[in-house]
Amino acid sequence: MMKLAVLAAVAGSAAAFAPAPIGKTSTALNSFENEIGALPPVGFWDPAGLSDGISQEKFDEYRLAELKHGRVAQLAVLGYIAPETYRFGYDLTPDGLSTNDLPNGIAAINALPFLGWVQIVAFVGCVETYGWFTSPTGVLDLPDDILAKRQTAELQHGRLAMLAFLELIRHDSQNLAVPGFDGYDNLITGLPFIYN
């Protein structure tokens, strides 16, 4: 038993003088950690490892997709909340179905007729095709530091909007399954004066 203890002590002390292994550093993390949208304290955060071993062009493609999804989510949150307070009140179909008659949220999916869906798809298609809602040059003419700050803010707002839209869908779906599960009649409960 004593021989085994001495052997373990010798092996342990020898390992202390062995050269330390050199850890591999992620080139993806090192190359993308200074990109716009990487903010302290987290920095560049990629838990799924989607940026491991990709090129700058592929990263830019992913960033563009994140930006576009963020913009769509911002519009989706606005489109989800705005009908709670205001309706345009126009006839959606020739037979007189008004936008005032449609329910809010997920319930509107089944209540919206085919011509309503055609209007939505046509509008989105025109925006995508003709590029409305952009500056004439397509790029903001700002100093680099202000442009980087605004681009970071847009990414952060888009990320928040993606989470907010998921929560709105979850809440509304649960309310359809179990009406009144939260004890409230309206979606926006923190601002009761908007319903008066």
Side-chain angles (χ1 to χ4, degrees):
M1 185 67 154
M2 182 68 158
K3 290 181 184 179
L4 186 59
V6 170
L7 183 61
V10 169
S13 64
F17 296 104
I22 298 172
K24 290 186 177 180
T25 57
S26 171
T27 56
L29 176 62
N30 292 338
S31 63
F32 302 131
E33 67 186 1
N34 294 325
E35 289 287 336
I36 290 175
L39 298 173
V42 177
F44 182 71
W45 191 62
D46 184 16
L50 296 176
S51 64
D52 291 345
I54 64 170
S55 64
Q56 182 66 41
E57 291 78 25
K58 183 56 95 173
F59 179 82
D60 292 342
E61 186 180 321
Y62 287 165
R63 180 51 55 91
L64 184 62
E66 178 187 14
L67 186 61
K68 185 174 261 193
H69 284 99
R71 289 174 177 171
V72 168
Q74 290 176 50
L75 288 173
V77 168
L78 182 63
Y80 212 98
I81 293 174
E84 291 283 321
T85 60
Y86 179 78
R87 298 289 181 110
F88 287 106
Y90 67 92
D91 288 341
L92 193 61
T93 59
D95 62 353
L97 177 65
S98 174
T99 55
N100 292 332
D101 300 332
L102 292 175
N104 291 346
I106 293 181
I109 292 174
N110 291 331
L112 192 64
F114 177 73
L115 288 177
W117 287 110
V118 168
Q119 291 176 39
I120 292 171
V121 170
F123 178 73
V124 170
C126 286
V127 170
E128 285 290 320
T129 302
Y130 300 113
W132 296 338
F133 308 122
T134 60
S135 68
T137 61
V139 177
L140 295 176
D141 186 24
L142 296 171
D144 290 341
D145 59 334
I146 294 175
L147 181 62
K149 186 176 178 181
R150 289 198 181 174
Q151 287 175 330
T152 299
E154 184 178 18
L155 277 171
Q156 294 299 91
H157 294 159
R159 291 168 181 167
L160 180 62
M162 287 185 258
L163 293 173
F165 185 68
L166 287 175
E167 172 52 26
L168 286 169
I169 293 291
R170 186 218 53 87
H171 184 272
D172 203 18
S173 299
Q174 189 171 356
N175 209 17
L176 280 177
V178 183
F181 78 96
D182 57 0
Y184 297 112
D185 295 332
N186 300 318
L187 178 65
I188 304 171
T189 58
L191 306 170
F193 59 88
I194 64 175
Y195 293 105
N196 295 334

